[in-house]
């Protein structure tokens, strides 16, 4: 089941149905509604589990109604514990809620957005890492929730929150619970949101933190054994038994290891994407080596400039908010090909880099942290403040010498000062740090002190939870495909955070994962240098004239200082500030769509 929707309060049935139908792409197999004078509930189903059974997706029993989007991989284990016979996932959720109340969600392993309606109270639960989305708004006395904002916007006019532009430029996307609409919020990963009708207000509560397990693994051999076991279990749990599935294969160690583990019990299908004529970006040769090693049915998909331009229009028309990750466009195209081949589920390698310190910049940041102990850093602080440079390294040193938090996620693009110079807004220094304050509080409460653990934790929240998983969900569900990420299982994440920081930072980069992978993959795949995902998106945007949308929006909305905007456009022609420019392009492309709609 892959779309949920509801209105608690008075509504017009025709408009409610129209809003609900805006989510049909997320569940193409069936749709169900439960309606009375003051409550409209709906589910669109993508049948993956219990495919042949006639289910009741909107569970209604003893005055309690449950709507569920996602997969509970341990529901059969829970059914035994709860003494249920031939139970569906929703049956298990009902019994678990009756036994453990709100804590039932801590017993689940999976990805989910769950809504429970009971006695004039609505509770929304989102999985620990934010794989499945759920949005909500309080419109007067009416509470509306949905898997995507477009359903809510069918009922409530869009209200642009200009202040969120700074979060977007900092982190490629608004950070939960914020959205570009000041009246619509997103349930955060690992969070429970409660709306009580009589009180007419919303309460938020965290139910999950990756720091809950205090066990420490300090021996390398034990860490690798534990990681291998939980990852094998996680992959096995995510292999669907009733529908066709495929594995996304880039040729990197993470996706390759997931593909290899999935192929242990059956022949699998693998999909890779490439760019003809742009060999420096193309990783298909590495993917082919892995496909031959595991004997998969391998599919190669080409992504051309024509595909790129077409995909932009399709993605923009389907998205509720801009996302500044250029990888979403080839991913959308790849998912379209996967759907055409008849697959409903894909496995991905997302999560490994953030959990096991795979990004090169982690080491750079850690080395830079040592400058905090310099005796005369006060002089350096004043020097850097008075000698501005556009280079990111300048900003890093400034933070170190002023005693501020250095690492603000791998997702960071624009610094605060860059934004202040570009935007016709007063962007205060450390504005980006203020947006991260909830994460900083959670980390400090854990009593962890290692910078490495801060890097991993923050990227789990921001880079993964707000950018990559949002991208993965929207691009896959646009084609009615469910994406599953074995590295982002509660037990795998618990294993990562149970390892001492020095284990996770062993050389070579991501050593724990690579040492496990040596049992399953060719040496040339395990030991090859990490190649960051890239393709000629900026060249294609410049050649096609697509960047003109930035000028059109600037003329209409006057968001930017002209001289600074032109500087980015000119530097972009020299191959600089590509990600900065792409984020501006996607923002303006989306704003143009919103302005046309309104």
């Amino acid at each position: 089941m892959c779309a949920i929707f509801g209105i608690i309060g008075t509504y017009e049935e025709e408009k409610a149905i129209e809003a609900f139908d805006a989510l049909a792409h997320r569940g193409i197999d069936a749709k169900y509604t439960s309606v009375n004078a003051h409550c409209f509930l709906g589910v669109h189903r993508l049948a993956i589990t219990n495919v042949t059974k006639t289910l009741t997706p909107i569970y209604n029993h003893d005055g309690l109604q449950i709507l569920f989007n996602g997969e509970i991989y341990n529901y059969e284990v829970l059914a035994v514990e709860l003494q249920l016979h031939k139970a569906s996932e929703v049956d298990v959720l009902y019994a678990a809620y009756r036994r453990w109340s709100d804590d039932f969600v801590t017993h689940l392993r999976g990805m989910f957005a769950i809504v429970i309606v009971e006695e004039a109270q609505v509770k929304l639960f989102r999985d620990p890492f934010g794989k499945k989305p759920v949005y909500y708004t309080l419109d007067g006395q009416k509470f509306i929730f949905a898997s995507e904002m477009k359903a809510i916007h069918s009922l409530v006019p869009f209200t642009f929150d200009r202040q969120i532009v700074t979060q977007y430029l900092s982190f490629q996307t608004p950070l939960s619970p914020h959205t570009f609409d000041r009246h619509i919020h997103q349930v955060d990963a690992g969070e429970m949101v409660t709306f009580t009708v009589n009180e007419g207000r919303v309460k938020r509560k965290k139910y999950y933190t990756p720091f809950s397990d205090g066990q420490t693994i300090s021996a390398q051999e034990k860490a690798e054994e534990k990681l291998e076991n939980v990852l094998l279990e996680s992959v096995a749990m995510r292999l669907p038994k009733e529908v066709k599935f495929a594995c996304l294969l880039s040729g990197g160690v993470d996706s390759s290891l997931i593909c290899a583990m999935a192929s242990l019990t059956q022949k699998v299908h693998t999909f890779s994407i490439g760019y003809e004529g742009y060999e420096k970006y193309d990783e298909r040769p590495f993917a082919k080596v892995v496909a031959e090693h595991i004997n998969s049915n391998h599919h190669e998909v080409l992504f051309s400039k024509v595909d790129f331009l077409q995909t932009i229009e399709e993605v923009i028309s389907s998205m509720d908010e801009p996302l500044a990750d250029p990888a979403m466009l080839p991913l959308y195209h790849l998912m379209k090909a996967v759907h055409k081949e008849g697959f409903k589920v894909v496995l991905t390698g997302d999560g490994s880099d953030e959990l096991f310190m795979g990004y090169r910049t982690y080491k750079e940041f850690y080395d830079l942290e040592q400058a905090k102990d310099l005796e005369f850093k006060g002089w350096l602080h004043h020097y850097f403040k008075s000698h501005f440079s556009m280079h990111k390294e300048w900003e890093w040193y400034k933070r170190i010498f002023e005693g501020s938090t250095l690492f603000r996620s791998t997702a960071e693009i624009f610094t605060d000062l860059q934004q202040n110079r570009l935007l016709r807004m007063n962007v205060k220094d450390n504005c980006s740090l203020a947006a991260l304050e909830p994460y900083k509080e959670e980390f400090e409460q854990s009593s962890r002190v290692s910078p490495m653990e801060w890097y991993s934790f923050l990227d789990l929240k921001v880079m993964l939870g707000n950018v990559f998983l949002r991208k993965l969900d929207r691009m896959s569900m646009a084609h009615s495909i469910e994406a599953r990420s074995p590295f982002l299982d509660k037990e795998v994440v618990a294993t990562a955070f149970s390892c001492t920081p020095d284990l996770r930072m062993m050389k070579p980069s991501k050593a724990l994962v690579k040492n496990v992978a040596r049992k399953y993959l060719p040496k040339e795949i395990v030991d090859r240098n990490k190649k960051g995902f890239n393709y000629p998106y900026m060249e294609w945007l410049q050649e096609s004239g697509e960047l003109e949308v930035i000028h059109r929006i600037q003329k209409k909305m006057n968001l930017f200082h002209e001289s600074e905007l032109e500087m980015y456009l000119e530097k972009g022609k020299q191959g600089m500030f590509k990600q900065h420019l792409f984020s501006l392009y996607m923002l303006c492309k989306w704003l143009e769509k919103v302005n046309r709609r309104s």
Side-chain angles (χ1 to χ4, degrees):
M1 288 167 266
C2 283
I4 53 179
F5 173 80
I7 305 172
I8 310 299
T10 57
Y11 62 91
E12 296 179 35
E13 185 170 358
E14 186 176 338
K15 290 184 177 180
I17 292 172
E18 181 182 348
F20 172 53
D21 285 345
L23 303 174
H25 59 281
R26 296 185 68 95
I28 58 176
D29 294 319
K31 66 178 181 178
Y32 308 85
T33 58
S34 174
V35 178
N36 62 41
H38 298 286
C39 180
F40 182 103
L41 303 177
V43 169
H44 289 282
R45 186 185 183 208
L46 184 67
I48 292 173
T49 304
N50 294 311
V51 171
T52 60
K53 292 183 179 179
T54 302
L55 301 178
T56 307
I58 303 175
Y59 196 98
N60 193 338
H61 188 64
D62 290 342
L64 183 148
Q65 296 186 88
I66 299 177
L67 290 81
F68 165 59
N69 168 26
E71 300 288 341
I72 309 300
Y73 302 120
N74 66 331
Y75 86 93
E76 291 174 321
V77 174
L78 288 174
V80 173
E81 183 177 352
L82 295 165
Q83 299 181 332
L84 301 176
H85 182 61
K86 293 184 178 180
S88 69
E89 286 171 293
V90 183
D91 293 326
V92 168
L93 293 178
Y94 171 79
Y97 180 72
R98 285 303 191 205
R99 175 176 293 189
W100 296 304
S101 189
D102 295 342
D103 288 338
F104 84 102
V105 74
T106 64
H107 295 260
L108 309 179
R109 286 177 71 178
M111 54 181 182
F112 52 81
I114 300 168
V115 179
I116 294 178
V117 182
E118 181 181 27
E119 297 177 355
Q121 193 173 69
V122 185
K123 298 175 181 178
L124 313 180
F125 300 85
R126 193 176 181 199
D127 67 72
F129 311 114
K131 297 177 189 174
K132 287 298 164 186
V134 59
Y135 296 86
Y136 63 92
T137 189
L138 185 56
D139 182 29
Q141 293 300 306
K142 181 166 54 182
F143 185 74
I144 308 170
F145 62 85
S147 293
E148 294 181 17
M149 283 198 294
K150 57 175 58 65
I152 300 176
H153 282 144
S154 294
L155 302 168
V156 180
F158 172 74
T159 308
F160 180 51
D161 188 349
R162 190 179 177 120
Q163 296 302 314
I164 295 300
V165 170
T166 61
Q167 272 193 25
Y168 167 79
L169 292 180
S170 291
F171 307 113
Q172 308 183 38
T173 182
L175 302 182
S176 299
H178 304 288
T179 73
F180 268 104
D181 190 319
R182 68 167 56 100
H183 299 307
I184 297 178
H185 307 282
Q186 181 169 198
V187 180
D188 199 9
E191 183 179 64
M192 166 188 168
V193 169
T194 303
F195 170 69
T196 304
V197 175
N198 295 337
E199 298 177 3
R201 63 193 182 101
V202 171
K203 296 179 181 177
R204 301 172 56 213
K205 178 184 176 183
K206 296 293 291 185
Y207 72 82
Y208 172 83
T209 176
F211 303 120
S212 56
D213 188 347
Q215 179 186 5
T216 300
I217 303 174
S218 57
Q220 179 181 341
E221 185 177 345
K222 182 180 178 182
E224 291 169 3
E225 179 183 2
K226 176 69 172 176
L227 174 59
E228 181 179 11
N229 289 338
V230 294
L231 196 54
L232 282 168
E233 179 190 46
S234 179
V235 170
M237 292 176 78
R238 284 161 175 76
L239 299 180
K241 300 179 179 67
E242 302 175 56
V243 299
K244 290 173 63 178
F245 77 94
C247 300
L248 302 189
L249 176 59
S250 69
V253 68
D254 304 324
S255 64
S256 299
L257 179 56
I258 296 302
C259 291
M261 287 182 165
S263 70
L264 292 176
T265 58
Q266 58 191 292
K267 192 178 181 71
V268 301
H269 289 260
T270 50
F271 280 80
S272 299
I273 194 162
Y275 315 94
E276 202 72 58
Y278 292 88
E279 283 71 21
K280 66 178 180 179
Y281 300 110
D282 207 327
E283 293 191 282
R284 282 180 297 162
F286 299 108
K288 189 174 182 180
V289 169
V290 177
E292 291 175 352
H293 181 76
I294 65 174
N295 191 31
S296 67
N297 290 316
H298 192 52
H299 309 252
E300 290 188 347
V301 178
L302 285 176
F303 189 59
S304 67
K305 179 180 173 181
V306 172
D307 297 322
F308 172 75
L309 296 174
Q310 177 183 332
T311 297
I312 290 173
E313 298 304 323
E314 293 177 9
V315 166
I316 287 292
S317 67
S318 67
M319 288 186 66
D320 299 316
E321 297 184 289
L323 187 67
D325 183 355
M328 66 182 173
L329 299 168
L331 180 61
Y332 180 95
H333 185 72
L334 183 61
M335 290 294 185
K336 181 188 289 188
V338 172
H339 174 75
K340 285 181 179 178
E341 294 292 331
F343 296 96
K344 278 188 170 183
V345 172
V346 295
L347 268 59
T348 82
D350 291 285
S352 176
D353 283 324
E354 295 78 9
L355 292 174
F356 297 99
M357 316 308 292
Y359 296 125
R360 175 180 53 83
T361 52
Y362 290 151
K363 180 65 166 60
E364 295 174 356
F365 280 117
Y366 186 73
D367 288 344
L368 197 54
E369 298 270 6
Q370 315 313 310
K372 287 181 178 179
D373 298 325
L374 288 174
E375 186 173 354
F376 301 109
K377 67 180 182 181
W379 183 88
L380 289 166
H381 173 215
H382 293 300
Y383 177 84
F384 273 85
K385 287 277 283 187
S386 58
H387 292 78
F388 172 69
S389 167
M390 288 289 287
H391 293 97
K392 60 186 178 182
E393 289 81 4
W394 178 90
E395 174 67 23
W396 294 352
Y397 279 108
K398 181 182 78 71
R399 292 174 187 175
I400 283 292
F401 296 139
E402 70 184 9
S404 183
T405 300
L406 169 62
F407 182 75
R408 303 184 187 180
S409 96
T410 306
E412 186 178 27
I413 299 179
F414 282 87
T415 67
D416 299 325
L417 189 51
Q418 285 174 340
Q419 290 188 54
N420 193 46
R421 293 165 68 100
L422 173 67
L423 295 174
R424 290 187 175 275
M425 296 168 56
N426 181 23
V427 181
K428 295 181 179 179
D429 202 15
N430 286 321
C431 176
S432 59
L433 186 58
L436 301 176
E437 192 59 35
Y439 307 132
K440 195 164 174 54
E441 288 179 7
E442 184 177 346
F443 181 77
E444 289 172 350
Q445 288 169 5
S446 75
S447 300
R448 309 267 178 138
V449 295
S450 168
M452 297 299 185
E453 293 186 292
W454 166 245
Y455 305 162
S456 180
F457 168 72
L458 187 62
D459 269 353
L460 183 67
K461 294 291 188 179
V462 177
M463 193 70 188
L464 269 168
N466 281 283
V467 181
F468 285 167
L469 293 181
R470 186 173 303 190
K471 169 188 70 179
L472 184 61
D473 175 81
R474 301 307 188 278
M475 299 305 99
S476 60
M477 292 312 304
H479 303 291
S480 300
I481 294 172
E482 186 174 272
R484 302 179 175 185
S485 305
F487 276 105
L488 290 172
D489 179 88
K490 277 203 307 185
E491 295 303 316
V492 178
V493 173
T495 299
F497 279 92
S498 293
C499 292
T500 55
D502 60 314
L503 273 181
R504 287 206 274 170
M505 282 301 295
M506 287 191 308
K507 293 182 179 179
S509 172
K510 216 158 47 182
L512 291 178
V513 175
K514 289 180 178 178
N515 288 342
V516 171
R518 293 184 197 285
K519 298 182 181 181
Y520 301 90
L521 298 171
K523 185 177 185 297
E524 62 188 287
I525 297 299
V526 177
D527 291 332
R528 78 181 186 92
N529 291 330
K530 181 177 176 62
K531 185 177 181 181
F533 180 84
N534 206 350
Y535 68 102
Y537 62 89
M538 190 49 61
E539 293 97 316
W540 289 344
L541 286 175
Q542 290 166 337
E543 291 166 6
S544 62
E546 272 290 313
L547 294 180
E548 280 300 311
V549 70
I550 298 176
H551 290 119
R552 294 196 297 270
I553 287 298
Q554 172 65 358
K555 185 176 181 180
K556 186 179 182 68
M557 300 182 70
N558 198 27
L559 287 172
F560 314 110
H561 291 292
E562 287 283 354
S563 59
E564 200 73 6
L565 180 61
E566 290 304 318
M567 183 277 294
Y568 280 107
L569 290 167
E570 285 301 312
K571 293 287 186 182
K573 294 175 183 177
Q574 302 168 32
M576 301 170 65
F577 296 110
K578 290 197 294 185
Q579 277 200 296
H580 291 70
L581 260 182
F582 185 80
S583 65
L584 294 176
Y585 167 74
M586 289 304 297
L587 174 65
C588 293
K589 191 77 173 175
W590 174 77
L591 284 170
E592 189 170 65
K593 183 197 78 169
V594 169
N595 287 330
R596 281 199 305 265
R597 188 174 61 197
S598 58

